[in-house]
């Protein structure tokens, strides 16, 4: 009899819904009468998005109201003040089924409306030991998170009870996998329909079941490949304290399921421990217990359950327990049965991460890619830690959708131990044997500050990547120095095999990253390989050793090309020139465009054999025209503190060509040959004269009063450089000087005279770059002219030797000879013209 009465009530509810929907269509009078004892309440109120203009009211006995409540046993006649009440009001029809005690109760709650409109609420209460089950017909439901909405505007809001507390189970749309929801003690179901939605059924039924002994159970059914995103109760707020919630997944036997946690938080527990438990048919360890931060199971065949268990929270600081996760169901992949071993047991600073490659989102179902440890614990990304041996497999239809990133640290703490030690930078074979493509392999190189520096020597000479000559290999090296000061990182550039760079020297802590660009890296892996050595500290930020190719241009550019060379940094290129070749140095632009705030931006070009050098102020002067170099030479760039937006970046190239004998060279050779002939004749005449005067007394020196006795000084205006004038030529003592007898050796013969007057430094020059003029000024830049040196450019070293020609013994001439006083300090070299 009770069951019959419940069915009558449900039919009556459907009739009322039909009548209510017809009433809310215009301004004509409407009448709603609810039978006594029907447990039905109708609430008509303004909707949340009611238009702010032209307000609409409910008219009852000439009273204008915005809320109307009709309870069981009441009859209400009313009209609306507008023609479109559906745009202003929502209707909630509440049915309190009450305390259900019969285990066999069931029934369909149907709305027989042609134009359903409003929010319909079913509120069912039951004893604490009674379980209530909501069953959803096709299409099943899909849970949505905060801020999401349903495409058709139809939403199902489902709540449960814990004593007097309402717990929100979730909000659902159509077209999902959720087929049933079981709750204990009570359920409240709210169906929200837009006024234009042509729906005539509620889409669910309700039945009472035995106790489920937990907050709720959500059943999710997969009929083929697909995914489902689900959330804990009250998400994103906290899960109820010390409660248990379960999800049951029905998966066809021929498919595989994998779980990944998208977002979670744990609370502060006083007792017990928050965890997730899996019940997997066929597992010998059921239930399998995991922490929320663990990698979750994957590649599971058949149905399985997942439960979330809370704890007793700290009353003072409870925290929040919440979970959002995804279940992906797909066909088993070819790689799922293959196991790969990655042995990192001997490594201490190397880690490997396998993760999804970034791709554009697609609305179509895309099978997931999972990495599984020991074939069970699977995740979309996995990090293999050092010190262990790892067994991994893949659940993925296309392994190119994953990529691998690795990192290794090579550090030195004791410079005495590390000095001259070398290490190989090479991708290990365990990484190359994996079927996942390598993206990055980075080595962090750490050295004691101001103690050691680094030298990188490639297995094959490198080419610097530029727009003019791009790398076309499957991988390249990215070299960078990382400084503590923000914005001061120095990115030397991208380098690939097949060029002219023999080594790269870096001043301090750096990183070298091997980055791949094409699947062909496996075939070109033999080309990769760098040797890093710890060497004594040097002051240059970077030094490149370059041996140009005789067939191709060598393009070189300053580090930090896109952002400009960091302030006060200095970089050098040591460029070798074969003995049978001549090098042409060409700059891409006529001007740099850098504007200095303090200091100077300078470029120095120095011949390594002759020590001849040219200095250019990059802020003011034009870069030199193409120049030819017959010997090894240096190019040094030193930056100032530039004004923001005016950065220093320089691109240049070097080409080699065979040496040729031109007309000028022939003339010079002829003149040189004639000079040698004259010199030989002169020596013969001198020897004859010396023999004739062998019996004569010692020669007497003549004092010349016109000699300038002042110490040579730097002239303020000196238009020529030393190489262009005779400022370095000193008057010599004639062979008739009184001191000529001191030039005799033990046999009585005279020593031969040395030629030329200025001898440059002839020590080793190839290993160390030229020292640029010091940039010590922190005052605003002053303009350099051809008449003066920068204030901080130091004079030439006093150790540069000058030689004086030694005279032969002979008669002293009677003419006046200007003999400058000898001084230990040489005259300063005038500034080169810019």
């Amino acid at each position: 009899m009770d069951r019959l009465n419940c069915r009558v009530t449900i039919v009556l509810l459907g009739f009322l819904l039909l009548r209510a929907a017809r009433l809310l269509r215009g301004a004509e009078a409407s009448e709603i009468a609810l039978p006594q004892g029907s447990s039905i309440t109708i609430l008509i109120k303004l909707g949340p998005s009611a238009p702010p203009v032209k307000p609409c009211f409910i008219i009852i006995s000439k009273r204008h109201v915005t809320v109307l409540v009709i309870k069981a046993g009441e009859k209400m006649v009313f009209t609306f003040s507008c023609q479109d009440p559906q745009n202003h009001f929502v209707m909630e029809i509440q049915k309190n089924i009450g305390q259900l005690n019969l285990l066999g109760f069931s029934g369909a709650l149907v709305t027989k409306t042609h134009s359903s409109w409003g929010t319909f609420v079913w509120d069912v209460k039951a004893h604490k030991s009674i379980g209530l089950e909501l069953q959803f017909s096709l299409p099943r439901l899909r849970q949505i998170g905060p801020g999401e909405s349903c495409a058709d505007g139809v939403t199902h809001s489902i709540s449960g009870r814990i004593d007097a507390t309402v717990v929100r189970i979730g909000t659902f749309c159509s077209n999902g996998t959720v087929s049933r929801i079981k709750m204990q003690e009570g359920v409240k179901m709210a169906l929200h329909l837009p006024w234009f939605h042509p729906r005539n059924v509620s889409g669910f039924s309700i039945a009472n079941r035995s106790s489920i002994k937990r907050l709720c159970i959500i059943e999710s059914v997969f009929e083929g490949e697909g995914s489902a995103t689900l959330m804990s109760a009250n998400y994103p707020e906290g899960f109820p304290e010390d409660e248990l919630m379960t999800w049951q997944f029905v998966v066809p036997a021929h498919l595989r399921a994998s779980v990944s946690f998208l977002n979670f938080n744990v609370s502060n527990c006083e007792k017990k421990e928050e965890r997730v438990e899996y019940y997997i048919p066929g597992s010998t360890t059921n239930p399998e217990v995991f922490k929320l931060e663990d990698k979750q199971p994957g590649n599971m065949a058949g149905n399985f359950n997942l439960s979330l268990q809370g704890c007793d929270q700290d009353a003072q600081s409870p925290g929040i327990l919440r979970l959002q996760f995804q279940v992906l169901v797909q066909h088993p992949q070819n790689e799922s049965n293959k196991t790969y071993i990655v042995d990192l047991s001997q490594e201490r600073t190397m880690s490997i991460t396998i993760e999804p490659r970034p791709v554009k989102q697609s609305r179509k179902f895309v099978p997931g890619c999972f990495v599984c440890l020991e074939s069970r614990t699977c995740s979309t990304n996995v990090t293999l830690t050092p010190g262990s041996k790892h067994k991994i497999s893949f659940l993925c239809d296309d392994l190119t959708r994953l990529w691998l990133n690795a990192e290794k640290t090579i550090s030195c703490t004791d410079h005495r131990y590390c000095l001259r030690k070398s290490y190989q930078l090479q991708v290990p074979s365990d990484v190359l044997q994996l079927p996942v493509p390598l993206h990055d392999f980075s080595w962090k190189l750490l050295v004691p500050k101001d103690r050691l520096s680094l030298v990188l020597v490639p297995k094959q000479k490198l080419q610097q990547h530029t727009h003019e000559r791009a790398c076309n290999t499957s991988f390249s090296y990215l070299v960078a120095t990382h400084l503590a000061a923000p914005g001061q990182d120095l990115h030397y550039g991208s380098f690939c095999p097949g060029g002219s760079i023999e080594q790269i020297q870096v001043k301090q802590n750096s990183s070298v990253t091997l980055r791949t660009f094409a699947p062909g890296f496996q075939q070109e892996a033999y080309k990769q390989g760098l040797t890093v050595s710890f060497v004594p500290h040097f002051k240059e930020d970077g030094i490149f050793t370059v041996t140009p190719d005789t067939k191709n241009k060598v393009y070189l550019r300053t580090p930090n090309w896109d952002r400009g060379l960091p302030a006060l940094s200095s970089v050098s290129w040591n460029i070798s020139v074969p003995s049978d070749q001549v090098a042409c140095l060409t700059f891409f632009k006529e001007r740099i465009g850098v504007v200095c705030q303090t200091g100077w931006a300078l470029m120095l070009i120095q011949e390594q054999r002759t020590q001849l050098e040219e200095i250019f102020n990059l802020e003011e002067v034009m870069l030199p025209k193409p120049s030819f170099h017959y010997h090894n030479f240096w190019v040094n760039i030193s930056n100032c503190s530039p004004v923001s937006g005016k950065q220093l970046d320089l691109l240049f190239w070097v080409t080699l060509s065979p040496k040729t004998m031109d007309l000028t060279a022939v003339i010079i050779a002829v003149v040189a040959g004639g000079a040698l002939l004259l010199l030989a004749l002169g020596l013969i005449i001198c020897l004859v004269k010396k023999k004739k005067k062998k019996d004569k007394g010692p020669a007497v020196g003549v004092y010349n009063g016109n000699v300038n006795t002042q110490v040579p000084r730097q002239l303020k205006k000196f238009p020529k450089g030393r190489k262009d004038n005779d400022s370095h030529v000193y008057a010599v003592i004639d062979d008739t000087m009184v001191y000529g007898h001191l030039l005799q050796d033990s046999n009585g013969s005279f020593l031969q005279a040395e030629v030329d007057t200025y001898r440059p430094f002839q020590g080793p020059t190839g290993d160390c770059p030229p020292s640029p003029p010091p940039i010590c000024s922190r005052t605003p830049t002053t303009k350099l002219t051809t008449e003066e040196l920068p204030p901080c450019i130091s004079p030439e070293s006093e150790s540069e030797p000058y030689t004086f020609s030694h005279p032969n013994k002979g008669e002293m001439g009677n003419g006046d000879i200007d003999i400058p006083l000898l001084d230990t300090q040489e005259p300063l070299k005038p500034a080169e013209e810019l």
Side-chain angles (χ1 to χ4, degrees):
M1 186 65 183
D2 290 336
R3 183 183 303 178
L4 179 60
N5 290 337
C6 184
R7 289 180 177 176
V8 171
T9 302
I10 294 170
V11 174
L12 176 61
L13 175 61
F15 172 76
L16 291 173
L17 291 174
L18 173 61
R19 185 172 181 182
R22 291 175 178 175
L23 288 174
L24 300 179
R25 290 185 180 177
E28 66 270 14
S30 303
E31 177 182 315
I32 295 180
L34 298 179
Q36 189 72 30
S38 61
S39 300
I40 296 176
T41 301
I42 294 180
L43 174 64
I44 304 175
K45 61 181 181 180
L46 287 173
S49 58
V53 295
K54 296 181 180 180
C56 186
F57 297 97
I58 304 172
I59 304 174
I60 305 173
S61 302
K62 299 182 180 180
R63 290 185 299 111
H64 290 65
V65 295
T66 56
V67 177
L68 176 60
V69 179
I70 307 173
K71 298 181 179 179
E74 293 182 349
K75 179 180 179 180
M76 195 71 64
V77 178
F78 58 93
T79 60
F80 294 97
S81 63
C82 59
Q83 297 293 328
D84 55 348
Q86 69 275 5
N87 294 337
H88 299 265
F89 292 93
V90 295
M91 176 187 294
E92 293 185 3
I93 302 177
Q94 302 176 358
K95 168 62 179 175
N96 189 347
I97 300 179
Q99 301 287 342
L100 295 180
N101 298 317
L102 299 178
L103 296 180
F105 168 80
S106 66
L109 304 181
V110 183
T111 59
K112 298 291 188 178
T113 62
H114 298 286
S115 181
S116 299
W117 163 83
T119 301
F120 307 106
V121 179
W122 290 264
D123 191 355
V124 181
K125 297 178 181 178
H127 190 269
K128 288 186 177 182
S129 61
I130 299 296
L132 300 175
E133 179 181 278
L134 293 175
Q135 297 181 356
F136 301 96
S137 58
L138 295 175
R140 300 186 178 99
L141 301 186
R142 173 177 59 89
Q143 188 171 7
I144 61 174
E148 296 183 78
S149 60
C150 302
D152 58 2
V154 178
T155 60
H156 302 74
S157 298
I158 303 173
S159 301
R161 294 180 183 274
I162 301 176
D163 296 328
T165 304
V166 176
V167 180
R168 187 176 67 257
I169 303 302
T171 302
F172 301 82
C173 300
S174 301
N175 299 322
T177 61
V178 176
S179 58
R180 291 189 297 176
I181 298 178
K182 301 176 184 179
M183 282 169 285
Q184 189 107 346
E185 190 176 346
V187 59
K188 185 176 182 180
M189 169 72 184
L191 176 62
H192 307 273
L193 297 174
W195 67 272
F196 55 81
H197 193 274
R199 185 177 184 128
N200 57 7
V201 294
S202 64
F204 71 93
S205 62
I206 188 170
N208 60 327
R209 295 287 185 260
S210 58
S211 174
I212 61 174
K213 298 180 181 180
R214 62 199 68 202
L215 174 63
C216 70
I217 299 174
I218 298 178
E219 182 184 75
S220 181
V221 178
F222 290 88
E223 296 180 350
E225 288 189 319
S227 65
T229 300
L230 298 161
M231 286 148 271
S232 58
N234 280 345
Y235 189 88
E237 285 78 29
F239 187 70
E241 181 179 10
D242 195 23
E243 281 293 335
L244 178 64
M245 181 176 182
T246 299
W247 292 267
Q248 295 178 337
F249 297 96
V250 180
V251 181
H254 66 284
L255 300 178
R256 300 292 182 267
S258 299
V259 176
S260 57
F261 286 0
L262 305 179
N263 185 27
F264 68 88
N265 288 85
V266 294
S267 57
N268 300 321
C269 298
E270 278 189 345
K271 297 179 181 180
K272 302 181 183 179
E273 185 179 11
E274 295 170 343
R275 62 190 185 276
V276 289
E277 297 179 354
Y278 290 86
Y279 181 84
I280 304 172
S283 174
T284 58
T285 58
N286 282 325
E288 297 189 16
V289 180
F290 293 82
K291 295 181 179 179
L292 274 73
E293 58 266 23
D294 292 339
K295 301 298 182 183
Q296 302 304 309
N299 199 24
M300 294 177 287
N303 306 336
F304 69 97
N305 294 352
L306 166 61
S307 297
L308 174 64
Q309 174 67 63
C311 67
D312 293 332
Q313 299 173 350
D314 185 351
Q316 300 298 325
S317 178
I320 294 179
L321 171 62
R322 61 184 174 191
L323 173 63
Q324 181 186 41
F325 65 97
Q326 183 186 62
V327 176
L328 186 66
V329 175
Q330 60 189 8
H331 290 286
Q333 308 303 317
N334 295 332
E335 291 290 335
S336 16
N337 295 326
K338 295 181 182 179
T339 301
Y340 299 88
I341 298 178
V342 180
D343 189 0
L344 301 181
S345 57
Q346 302 302 316
E347 296 288 346
R348 294 295 176 264
T349 60
M350 176 178 166
S351 61
I352 298 174
T353 299
I354 303 173
E355 58 190 357
R357 183 195 300 267
V359 294
K360 294 182 179 180
Q361 296 295 330
S362 174
R363 293 185 178 182
K364 297 181 179 179
F365 170 74
V366 178
C369 280
F370 291 89
V371 186
C372 303
L373 295 174
E374 303 293 340
S375 300
R376 173 52 58 87
T377 304
C378 301
S379 179
T380 55
N381 58 79
V382 167
T383 298
L384 308 180
T385 55
S388 301
K389 183 180 291 187
H390 305 274
K391 294 181 180 179
I392 63 174
S393 59
F394 298 93
L395 181 63
C396 185
D397 64 326
D398 182 8
L399 288 174
T400 61
R401 294 169 51 202
L402 298 173
W403 65 19
L404 183 149
N405 294 283
E407 183 178 284
K408 183 174 183 177
T409 301
I410 299 176
S411 62
C412 171
T413 56
D414 187 350
H415 68 281
R416 295 168 298 182
Y417 172 77
C418 303
L419 185 61
R420 305 300 180 186
K421 282 191 173 293
S422 299
Y423 298 89
Q424 294 296 323
L425 307 186
Q426 197 161 9
V427 180
S429 58
D430 278 4
V431 174
L432 294 176
Q433 57 101 19
L434 293 175
V436 178
L438 173 67
H439 176 233
D440 277 356
F441 198 110
S442 297
W443 292 270
K444 290 187 176 180
L445 310 175
L446 308 180
V447 296
K449 186 177 181 181
D450 299 333
R451 292 282 191 172
L452 296 178
S453 294
L454 299 163
V455 175
L456 301 171
V457 180
K459 184 178 180 181
Q460 295 187 4
K461 290 193 294 184
L462 300 177
Q463 167 200 335
Q464 186 171 13
H465 175 84
T466 62
H467 295 298
E468 291 71 21
R469 187 182 179 191
C471 288
N472 58 3
T473 56
S474 62
F475 72 96
S476 66
Y477 292 102
L478 283 68
V479 183
T481 291
H482 303 287
L483 306 178
Q488 290 296 306
D489 289 353
L490 191 63
H491 295 269
Y492 294 93
S494 178
F495 306 89
C496 57
S500 301
I501 299 175
E502 292 186 339
Q503 71 176 22
I504 303 172
Q505 297 170 254
V506 291
K507 178 180 179 180
Q508 49 202 334
N509 293 348
S510 300
S511 67
V512 177
T513 301
L514 185 149
R515 176 166 295 174
T516 63
F517 298 97
F521 172 69
Q522 292 285 356
Q523 286 72 36
E524 293 189 350
Y526 69 94
K527 297 182 180 180
Q528 56 102 12
L530 286 173
T531 300
V532 58
S533 302
F534 294 94
V535 296
H537 179 73
F538 49 80
K539 295 182 179 180
E540 291 283 313
D541 290 287
I543 303 173
F544 297 86
T545 301
V546 183
T547 301
D549 187 354
T550 57
K551 298 180 180 179
N552 299 307
K553 290 182 180 179
V554 179
Y555 288 93
L556 300 167
R557 67 183 186 185
T558 51
N560 279 25
W561 177 257
D562 296 330
R563 299 184 300 277
L565 198 64
L568 307 180
S569 58
S570 178
V571 183
S572 293
W573 290 264
N574 181 6
I575 302 175
S576 299
V577 181
S579 59
D580 60 340
Q581 300 284 318
V582 59
C584 179
L585 175 65
T586 308
F587 295 92
F588 177 69
K589 295 185 293 188
E590 293 184 348
R591 291 185 181 273
I592 295 297
V594 63
V595 177
C596 294
Q597 187 172 6
T598 58
W600 293 279
L602 302 175
M603 179 175 69
L604 182 148
I605 301 176
Q606 182 186 68
E607 289 278 357
Q608 295 184 22
R609 175 179 291 187
T610 64
Q611 294 293 296
L612 296 177
E613 62 184 29
E614 297 178 282
I615 300 177
F616 302 89
N617 185 338
L618 299 179
E619 184 182 12
E620 297 182 357
V621 303
M622 297 178 61
L623 291 175
K625 299 296 183 180
S627 58
F628 294 92
H629 300 270
Y630 294 85
H631 308 290
N632 300 350
F633 63 97
W634 287 97
V635 176
N636 173 269
I637 305 295
S638 299
N639 199 11
C640 59
S641 293
V643 175
S644 178
K646 301 294 183 179
Q647 304 298 332
L648 191 160
D649 47 44
L650 184 67
L651 172 67
F652 61 95
W653 59 86
V654 179
T655 55
L656 294 180
S657 58
K659 288 182 179 179
T660 57
M661 292 294 292
D662 56 11
L663 180 61
T664 302
V666 173
I667 293 174
I668 292 175
V670 171
V671 172
L676 290 174
L677 179 60
L678 293 175
L679 178 61
L681 293 174
L683 289 175
I684 294 173
I685 295 172
C686 288
L687 290 174
V688 172
K689 287 183 178 181
K690 289 173 185 177
K691 289 182 179 180
K692 292 179 179 180
K693 300 177 180 180
K694 186 174 182 181
D695 298 330
K696 293 184 178 181
V700 178
V702 178
Y703 173 73
N704 188 353
N706 295 326
V707 173
N708 181 11
T709 60
Q710 298 297 321
V711 176
R713 295 181 180 178
Q714 172 78 28
L715 294 179
K716 185 172 183 181
K717 291 187 177 181
F718 213 108
K720 290 185 178 182
R722 182 179 297 154
K723 65 181 181 180
D724 301 323
N725 59 64
D726 297 330
S727 64
H728 58 297
V729 178
Y730 288 78
V732 299
I733 300 174
D734 193 75
D735 59 354
T736 58
M737 282 189 60
V738 68
Y739 302 111
H741 66 284
L742 298 178
L743 301 177
Q744 291 177 318
D745 59 13
S746 59
N747 298 324
S749 59
F750 289 95
L751 302 175
Q752 294 296 324
E754 294 183 13
V755 296
D756 204 349
T757 56
Y758 167 67
R759 177 186 298 168
F761 175 65
Q762 295 296 330
T765 60
D767 295 333
C768 299
S771 298
I775 307 175
C776 59
S777 172
R778 292 298 179 266
T779 59
T781 305
T782 59
K783 305 300 181 182
L784 300 181
T785 68
T786 59
E787 300 178 358
E788 56 185 356
L789 285 169
C792 288
I793 298 182
S794 58
E796 291 186 1
S797 171
E798 296 178 358
S799 63
E800 292 185 359
Y802 284 81
T803 60
F804 300 87
S805 60
H806 301 289
N808 296 323
K809 185 176 179 180
E811 295 181 355
M812 182 180 64
N814 295 326
D816 294 339
I817 301 175
D818 291 340
I819 305 176
L821 297 179
L822 300 181
D823 195 355
T824 58
Q825 181 174 358
E826 69 178 38
L828 298 178
K829 179 181 178 180
E832 296 284 336
E833 290 187 1
L834 300 180

